[in-house]
Amino acid sequence: MTERGLIFNGEMVRAILDGRKTQTRRIIKDWTVGRDSISKFIQIGKKFIGCYPEDVPELIRECCPYGVPGDRIWVRETFQGPLFDFEQMEAYQEDSSKFKKPEFCVYKADGKPAPEFFDADDNLHCGWRPSIHMPRWASRITLEITGVRVEQLKSISEEEARSEGVARLREGFWKHYQPGWTQHQLSARGSFATLWDSIYGSGEWERNPWVWVVEFNRIEGDEHATN
C-alpha cells in the first residue's frame, strides 16, 4: 500500500467532508491515442498500455500516477499550522513533533478567516499556507482508492458528475462554477462542465481530454506517522 499527496481546492474539500465527492478526474499528461489497422490504442509517455478499451483496464495499474485500488491519497489543502497558545511555547520548544497534528491546524475550506500568529522572532503574520506546501502531518483527510480507469472527459454520466461533488442548489438546479457567472445549471453534468473549465481554463471541457478517473472512499479516524 502506497500513500500519495493530492491537491484539492476548498470547494472539493468541503464536498469530500460532506460525503458528496467519491471521484476525481485528472488530465492524463503526455498521452497519445491512435489507431492501427486493427484497433484503437492508447499510449502514455513512452509506455504503450494496450488497445482501447479491451486491454486498458488490465494494464492501467502500471501507469496511473495516483495509485491503484488499495493505495491511499492524503488530501493537500490550504491551511495554516501548527498554531498554539503562547503558554504552550515552552512545550513546543521541548518537542515540536507533539504539535505536528491536524488538531493544531486551521483550514481555509472551513470558511474561517486567515489566522494571525507570531513567528519565532515575535513578528506578527496573517495568512494561509498554500496546499502544495502542506506536509503529511497536517493533512486531516485520507482517502482509499477503490477504482482507477481511463476515459475521455465527456464520458462522465449524470450520476458520476454527482459523485464528483458538484453542489445542488435545490431540486433540479445545480451550481454554475464559472467566475463571474450567476446562473444555475439544470444538471449535475452541466455543473461539472463549468467546474472543470473554472479549474483548467475556458474551453477545456470542449477539448474533451483523456483523464484518469480515480474512485475513492474516505477513511474515518485515520492516524498517520509524522513526516
mmCIF file of all heavy atoms in Angstrom, residues 158 162 167-175 184-189 191:
data_model
loop_
_atom_site.group_PDB
_atom_site.id
_atom_site.type_symbol
_atom_site.label_atom_id
_atom_site.label_comp_id
_atom_site.label_asym_id
_atom_site.label_seq_id
_atom_site.Cartn_x
_atom_site.Cartn_y
_atom_site.Cartn_z
ATOM 1 N N GLU A 158 -24.443 11.486 -15.607
ATOM 2 C CA GLU A 158 -25.082 12.362 -14.629
ATOM 3 C C GLU A 158 -24.786 11.885 -13.202
ATOM 4 O O GLU A 158 -24.446 12.685 -12.329
ATOM 5 C CB GLU A 158 -26.593 12.397 -14.871
ATOM 6 C CG GLU A 158 -27.380 13.242 -13.898
ATOM 7 C CD GLU A 158 -27.187 14.740 -14.069
ATOM 8 O OE1 GLU A 158 -26.543 15.149 -15.057
ATOM 9 O OE2 GLU A 158 -27.679 15.510 -13.222
ATOM 10 N N ARG A 162 -22.445 13.767 -10.131
ATOM 11 C CA ARG A 162 -22.836 13.981 -8.729
ATOM 12 C C ARG A 162 -21.749 13.461 -7.798
ATOM 13 O O ARG A 162 -21.462 14.071 -6.760
ATOM 14 C CB ARG A 162 -24.154 13.269 -8.443
ATOM 15 C CG ARG A 162 -25.332 13.818 -9.238
ATOM 16 C CD ARG A 162 -26.636 13.175 -8.815
ATOM 17 N NE ARG A 162 -27.751 13.631 -9.638
ATOM 18 C CZ ARG A 162 -29.030 13.482 -9.321
ATOM 19 N NH1 ARG A 162 -29.359 12.873 -8.188
ATOM 20 N NH2 ARG A 162 -29.974 13.916 -10.125
ATOM 21 N N ALA A 167 -22.266 20.971 -6.442
ATOM 22 C CA ALA A 167 -23.249 21.390 -5.442
ATOM 23 C C ALA A 167 -24.635 21.552 -6.050
ATOM 24 O O ALA A 167 -24.804 22.233 -7.068
ATOM 25 C CB ALA A 167 -22.806 22.701 -4.804
ATOM 26 N N ARG A 168 -25.624 20.924 -5.423
ATOM 27 C CA ARG A 168 -27.011 21.120 -5.830
ATOM 28 C C ARG A 168 -27.593 22.277 -5.028
ATOM 29 O O ARG A 168 -27.571 22.273 -3.800
ATOM 30 C CB ARG A 168 -27.835 19.847 -5.607
ATOM 31 C CG ARG A 168 -29.268 19.993 -6.097
ATOM 32 C CD ARG A 168 -29.961 18.666 -6.219
ATOM 33 N NE ARG A 168 -30.125 18.000 -4.936
ATOM 34 C CZ ARG A 168 -30.770 16.842 -4.786
ATOM 35 N NH1 ARG A 168 -31.263 16.214 -5.841
ATOM 36 N NH2 ARG A 168 -30.881 16.298 -3.590
ATOM 37 N N LEU A 169 -28.121 23.262 -5.728
ATOM 38 C CA LEU A 169 -28.680 24.446 -5.069
ATOM 39 C C LEU A 169 -30.056 24.156 -4.494
ATOM 40 O O LEU A 169 -30.378 24.542 -3.380
ATOM 41 C CB LEU A 169 -28.749 25.604 -6.063
ATOM 42 C CG LEU A 169 -27.417 25.966 -6.744
ATOM 43 C CD1 LEU A 169 -27.628 27.071 -7.767
ATOM 44 C CD2 LEU A 169 -26.385 26.383 -5.702
ATOM 45 N N ARG A 170 -30.861 23.472 -5.286
ATOM 46 C CA ARG A 170 -32.175 22.994 -4.875
ATOM 47 C C ARG A 170 -32.605 21.975 -5.905
ATOM 48 O O ARG A 170 -31.893 21.715 -6.871
ATOM 49 C CB ARG A 170 -33.187 24.146 -4.769
ATOM 50 C CG ARG A 170 -33.389 24.951 -6.035
ATOM 51 C CD ARG A 170 -34.305 26.144 -5.766
ATOM 52 N NE ARG A 170 -34.643 26.871 -6.974
ATOM 53 C CZ ARG A 170 -33.887 27.800 -7.528
ATOM 54 N NH1 ARG A 170 -32.715 28.108 -6.981
ATOM 55 N NH2 ARG A 170 -34.269 28.420 -8.627
ATOM 56 N N GLU A 171 -33.717 21.361 -5.728
ATOM 57 C CA GLU A 171 -34.155 20.296 -6.627
ATOM 58 C C GLU A 171 -34.159 20.774 -8.076
ATOM 59 O O GLU A 171 -34.833 21.726 -8.443
ATOM 60 C CB GLU A 171 -35.555 19.819 -6.239
ATOM 61 C CG GLU A 171 -35.998 18.572 -6.993
ATOM 62 C CD GLU A 171 -35.120 17.361 -6.691
ATOM 63 O OE1 GLU A 171 -34.650 17.241 -5.540
ATOM 64 O OE2 GLU A 171 -34.884 16.555 -7.612
ATOM 65 N N GLY A 172 -33.348 20.074 -8.902
ATOM 66 C CA GLY A 172 -33.314 20.394 -10.323
ATOM 67 C C GLY A 172 -32.373 21.520 -10.708
ATOM 68 O O GLY A 172 -32.258 21.843 -11.903
ATOM 69 N N PHE A 173 -31.665 22.123 -9.754
ATOM 70 C CA PHE A 173 -30.786 23.245 -10.042
ATOM 71 C C PHE A 173 -29.405 22.990 -9.426
ATOM 72 O O PHE A 173 -29.307 22.683 -8.238
ATOM 73 C CB PHE A 173 -31.371 24.553 -9.513
ATOM 74 C CG PHE A 173 -32.653 24.954 -10.185
ATOM 75 C CD1 PHE A 173 -33.885 24.534 -9.679
ATOM 76 C CD2 PHE A 173 -32.639 25.745 -11.323
ATOM 77 C CE1 PHE A 173 -35.068 24.896 -10.301
ATOM 78 C CE2 PHE A 173 -33.815 26.114 -11.957
ATOM 79 C CZ PHE A 173 -35.032 25.692 -11.449
ATOM 80 N N TRP A 174 -28.375 23.186 -10.251
ATOM 81 C CA TRP A 174 -27.011 22.890 -9.833
ATOM 82 C C TRP A 174 -26.124 24.112 -9.999
ATOM 83 O O TRP A 174 -26.390 24.974 -10.835
ATOM 84 C CB TRP A 174 -26.449 21.718 -10.648
ATOM 85 C CG TRP A 174 -27.242 20.469 -10.464
ATOM 86 C CD1 TRP A 174 -28.419 20.141 -11.089
ATOM 87 C CD2 TRP A 174 -26.962 19.391 -9.572
ATOM 88 N NE1 TRP A 174 -28.875 18.923 -10.651
ATOM 89 C CE2 TRP A 174 -28.003 18.443 -9.719
ATOM 90 C CE3 TRP A 174 -25.926 19.124 -8.665
ATOM 91 C CZ2 TRP A 174 -28.037 17.259 -8.996
ATOM 92 C CZ3 TRP A 174 -25.951 17.952 -7.947
ATOM 93 C CH2 TRP A 174 -27.000 17.029 -8.118
ATOM 94 N N LYS A 175 -25.080 24.190 -9.232
ATOM 95 C CA LYS A 175 -24.214 25.362 -9.211
ATOM 96 C C LYS A 175 -23.481 25.572 -10.526
ATOM 97 O O LYS A 175 -23.048 24.618 -11.175
ATOM 98 C CB LYS A 175 -23.190 25.241 -8.068
ATOM 99 C CG LYS A 175 -22.278 26.456 -7.933
ATOM 100 C CD LYS A 175 -21.406 26.358 -6.695
ATOM 101 C CE LYS A 175 -20.491 27.579 -6.565
ATOM 102 N NZ LYS A 175 -19.666 27.540 -5.355
ATOM 103 N N HIS A 184 -27.691 29.229 -12.891
ATOM 104 C CA HIS A 184 -27.540 27.844 -12.455
ATOM 105 C C HIS A 184 -27.435 26.918 -13.660
ATOM 106 O O HIS A 184 -27.586 27.326 -14.802
ATOM 107 C CB HIS A 184 -28.752 27.449 -11.596
ATOM 108 C CG HIS A 184 -30.057 27.704 -12.294
ATOM 109 N ND1 HIS A 184 -30.821 28.835 -12.034
ATOM 110 C CD2 HIS A 184 -30.724 27.017 -13.264
ATOM 111 C CE1 HIS A 184 -31.903 28.808 -12.800
ATOM 112 N NE2 HIS A 184 -31.862 27.718 -13.554
ATOM 113 N N GLN A 185 -27.167 25.669 -13.356
ATOM 114 C CA GLN A 185 -27.189 24.604 -14.358
ATOM 115 C C GLN A 185 -28.355 23.675 -14.042
ATOM 116 O O GLN A 185 -28.753 23.523 -12.881
ATOM 117 C CB GLN A 185 -25.871 23.827 -14.341
ATOM 118 C CG GLN A 185 -24.690 24.604 -14.897
ATOM 119 C CD GLN A 185 -24.750 24.725 -16.403
ATOM 120 O OE1 GLN A 185 -25.089 23.785 -17.118
ATOM 121 N NE2 GLN A 185 -24.395 25.904 -16.906
ATOM 122 N N LEU A 186 -28.869 23.019 -15.074
ATOM 123 C CA LEU A 186 -30.045 22.157 -14.899
ATOM 124 C C LEU A 186 -29.678 20.690 -14.721
ATOM 125 O O LEU A 186 -30.567 19.849 -14.596
ATOM 126 C CB LEU A 186 -30.995 22.316 -16.091
ATOM 127 C CG LEU A 186 -31.554 23.735 -16.300
ATOM 128 C CD1 LEU A 186 -32.453 23.767 -17.537
ATOM 129 C CD2 LEU A 186 -32.312 24.188 -15.062
ATOM 130 N N SER A 187 -28.380 20.390 -14.696
ATOM 131 C CA SER A 187 -27.949 19.010 -14.473
ATOM 132 C C SER A 187 -26.615 19.020 -13.748
ATOM 133 O O SER A 187 -25.851 19.998 -13.822
ATOM 134 C CB SER A 187 -27.809 18.250 -15.804
ATOM 135 O OG SER A 187 -26.713 18.764 -16.555
ATOM 136 N N ALA A 188 -26.331 17.926 -13.053
ATOM 137 C CA ALA A 188 -25.031 17.797 -12.389
ATOM 138 C C ALA A 188 -23.915 17.744 -13.423
ATOM 139 O O ALA A 188 -22.822 18.277 -13.198
ATOM 140 C CB ALA A 188 -25.020 16.539 -11.524
ATOM 141 N N ARG A 189 -24.179 17.134 -14.561
ATOM 142 C CA ARG A 189 -23.170 17.039 -15.614
ATOM 143 C C ARG A 189 -22.830 18.429 -16.161
ATOM 144 O O ARG A 189 -21.670 18.745 -16.397
ATOM 145 C CB ARG A 189 -23.665 16.122 -16.728
ATOM 146 C CG ARG A 189 -22.611 15.733 -17.752
ATOM 147 C CD ARG A 189 -23.136 14.653 -18.688
ATOM 148 N NE ARG A 189 -22.122 14.248 -19.636
ATOM 149 C CZ ARG A 189 -21.891 14.872 -20.793
ATOM 150 N NH1 ARG A 189 -22.624 15.928 -21.130
ATOM 151 N NH2 ARG A 189 -20.945 14.438 -21.613
ATOM 152 N N SER A 191 -23.160 21.206 -14.522
ATOM 153 C CA SER A 191 -22.450 21.865 -13.433
ATOM 154 C C SER A 191 -20.984 21.450 -13.420
ATOM 155 O O SER A 191 -20.089 22.287 -13.262
ATOM 156 C CB SER A 191 -23.113 21.517 -12.103
ATOM 157 O OG SER A 191 -22.430 22.103 -11.023
#
